[in-house]
Amino acid sequence: MLKKFLFEAASIFFWIIRKVNKTIGGNYSKNVVIIAVHKIGDSVFTLPAINLIIEKHTGYKITLFTYELTKVIFESRFPEIEFVTVNDSDFGIKRRWIKSFYRKMISKLNPEYVYDITGNARSFSFIFNAKAKIIHGIAIKYNKRVFDYSIQNSSRKYLMERYIAAVDPNWQKFEYNLVFPLDENRDNTVVLIPFGGWEAKKWGFDNFVKLTNLLKKDFNCILAFQKGLVEQNVVKQLVKSGIRIRETASIKDLMSFIKGKGVCIGNDSGPLYIAVMCGLPTLGIYGPTNPEFSVPKGEWHSYINKTIHCSPKPGNQYCHTDAGRKGCPSFECMKQLAVSDVYKKSKEFLDQNGIKPLQNEK
């Protein structure tokens, strides 16, 4: 009861702030502000939404507030817009509320339009007192009244559709394309990426090593991962065993490496979606997350998972432990996914995407 009262009180408070700011606003600059403070995968998912914002606001200066880590993703697609980057240290109040310095930056821009395509407390802390003429975005429990148009964070199942619907409620009538184009100049390399955003989403490094050993008998394979995640003595052992290794130093380095490769196999994670963005067919390995929310569109993408009693229910993005972040005891959905099953699915996937066995390469 108290929690409900506090949410309602916060809602009224932010509504009053918005009313006052709209009353005193005016003489807006031709500026658009976008708030996209996402992790790697969701940053990729927002690209069509940002593209739509640019199309809708020809002649406007567009400024994107994002993390320093993910800036390169947006910069590679939208060199024409400006960027303001933040890090975790720029947030106070349990790392949820952005420092006032950044709100003052938005105030100086005096934007006519603001788009919050993140939909959490962090992103809302940028804009709750913005004097913009129009604010669009993804609302959470207590802030819907701040937006002139909003959707709820769970209103659409597919994540890319969710972000783009937050920009324009009528986007579907434009037949907006959510498919990342396939790179037609790919080579015959199979890239395997073994890590993920958090522990429950990882199929397991040892499993990826076993899968790589099976696939490299017939295909040109590279096991790729961020430098520092695997001890160097282990890296040396893998190289000695005949596994090709690529350690990447940054997202930019990963993008440069993966561009032009044949296909990518990996966990439901940021690096897999970087591969999608770069035009590779992907095979995603899912566990505590629902593939229906994020499997890339396009017939050249596929996935595998092991459905057990506690897997995400239809319509739910995560399992009941918040995708393993809240008390999952054993990560059984990943542990029960056998290497033999993933190997079989991988062979089918490689064949479907024209990856030739080594003896058939020309």
Side-chain angles (χ1 to χ4, degrees):
M1 191 70 178
L2 176 61
K3 190 174 182 180
K4 184 177 180 181
F5 170 77
L6 291 174
F7 276 138
E8 185 60 27
S11 177
I12 293 171
F13 172 70
F14 291 126
W15 174 74
I16 291 171
I17 291 177
R18 177 63 176 146
K19 282 292 185 182
V20 170
N21 283 337
K22 287 201 78 168
T23 300
I24 65 177
N27 298 317
Y28 301 103
S29 300
K30 290 195 73 174
N31 282 325
V32 174
V33 165
I34 306 171
I35 311 298
V37 282
H38 289 287
K39 292 184 178 180
I40 298 170
D42 281 288
S43 294
V44 174
F45 298 152
T46 63
L47 294 177
I50 294 171
N51 193 58
L52 179 57
I53 292 171
I54 293 171
E55 290 180 1
K56 285 166 64 72
H57 298 290
T58 302
Y60 282 72
K61 174 186 174 183
I62 298 176
T63 304
L64 175 65
F65 286 72
T66 190
Y67 289 124
E68 179 69 36
L69 175 69
T70 52
K71 175 187 173 185
V72 64
I73 294 172
F74 302 113
E75 201 171 36
S76 68
R77 291 299 175 105
F78 311 116
E80 71 273 30
I81 68 178
E82 297 193 9
F83 298 90
V84 177
T85 58
V86 299
N87 296 295
D88 284 344
S89 59
D90 294 312
F91 293 87
I93 311 179
K94 296 183 178 180
R95 297 289 175 93
R96 290 187 176 185
W97 209 249
I98 193 66
K99 292 177 180 177
S100 61
F101 170 78
Y102 295 96
R103 287 192 294 275
K104 290 176 182 177
M105 288 183 68
I106 293 174
S107 180
K108 287 180 181 178
L109 287 169
N110 192 27
E112 187 174 350
Y113 296 91
V114 168
Y115 294 90
D116 173 10
I117 53 172
T118 310
N120 60 27
R122 279 192 167 188
S123 61
F124 180 62
S125 70
F126 284 85
I127 65 166
F128 77 93
N129 65 341
K131 298 181 177 66
K133 180 180 177 182
I134 301 291
I135 300 179
H136 280 212
I138 302 174
I140 46 183
K141 289 180 179 179
Y142 54 81
N143 68 10
K144 183 177 180 180
R145 294 177 179 180
V146 169
F147 295 91
D148 297 282
Y149 165 74
S150 69
I151 64 167
Q152 293 297 307
N153 213 350
S154 59
S155 64
R156 285 182 177 272
K157 184 166 63 174
Y158 194 63
L159 294 177
M160 280 204 292
E161 289 184 355
R162 183 183 303 175
Y163 297 131
I164 202 169
V167 171
D168 189 332
N170 299 312
W171 71 272
Q172 283 179 307
K173 71 181 183 182
F174 303 118
E175 296 183 358
Y176 209 77
N177 191 1
L178 300 180
V179 180
F180 286 95
L182 192 63
D183 182 357
E184 298 296 341
N185 297 310
R186 295 174 294 111
D187 65 18
N188 214 38
T189 306
V190 181
V191 178
L192 299 99
I193 303 181
F195 292 101
W198 56 87
E199 202 61 33
K201 294 175 72 174
K202 300 174 186 177
W203 184 46
F205 184 72
D206 288 344
N207 285 334
F208 271 95
V209 171
K210 292 174 183 176
L211 178 63
T212 305
N213 273 320
L214 289 170
L215 289 174
K216 75 181 180 64
K217 297 174 183 176
D218 299 306
F219 300 95
N220 181 20
C221 297
I222 300 178
L223 189 64
F225 46 83
Q226 183 181 334
K227 189 174 180 63
L229 291 181
V230 179
E231 294 181 2
Q232 283 304 300
N233 65 318
V234 175
V235 172
K236 289 177 182 178
Q237 290 172 6
L238 293 173
V239 173
K240 190 175 180 179
S241 72
I243 292 179
R244 295 175 64 197
I245 299 293
R246 179 60 153 85
E247 294 181 276
T248 57
S250 63
I251 294 177
K252 186 175 183 179
D253 188 25
L254 174 62
M255 290 168 61
S256 177
F257 158 69
I258 212 165
K259 182 69 177 174
K261 296 297 186 293
V263 298
C264 181
I265 301 172
N267 299 308
D268 167 29
S269 64
L272 186 79
Y273 300 114
I274 291 289
V276 174
M277 183 184 76
C278 291
L280 275 65
T282 61
L283 173 62
I285 300 174
Y286 287 76
T289 56
N290 188 339
E292 294 179 0
F293 283 74
S294 56
V295 169
K297 293 185 180 294
E299 61 186 14
W300 46 89
H301 299 294
S302 189
Y303 75 91
I304 184 171
N305 66 341
K306 179 74 173 181
T307 301
I308 60 176
H309 71 281
C310 56
S311 293
K313 299 296 185 287
N316 292 339
Q317 185 176 357
Y318 300 142
C319 70
H320 70 96
T321 65
D322 192 30
R325 291 174 290 189
K326 293 181 179 179
C328 180
S330 60
F331 310 146
E332 284 301 314
C333 56
M334 282 301 200
K335 288 181 179 178
Q336 292 188 33
L337 186 56
V339 173
S340 58
D341 291 334
V342 180
Y343 174 63
K344 180 181 178 182
K345 181 70 174 182
S346 297
K347 292 266 284 186
E348 294 171 357
F349 167 72
L350 298 179
D351 182 61
Q352 290 166 0
N353 284 284
I355 301 300
K356 300 181 182 67
L358 291 171
Q359 66 268 27
N360 293 338
E361 283 189 357
K362 295 181 180 180

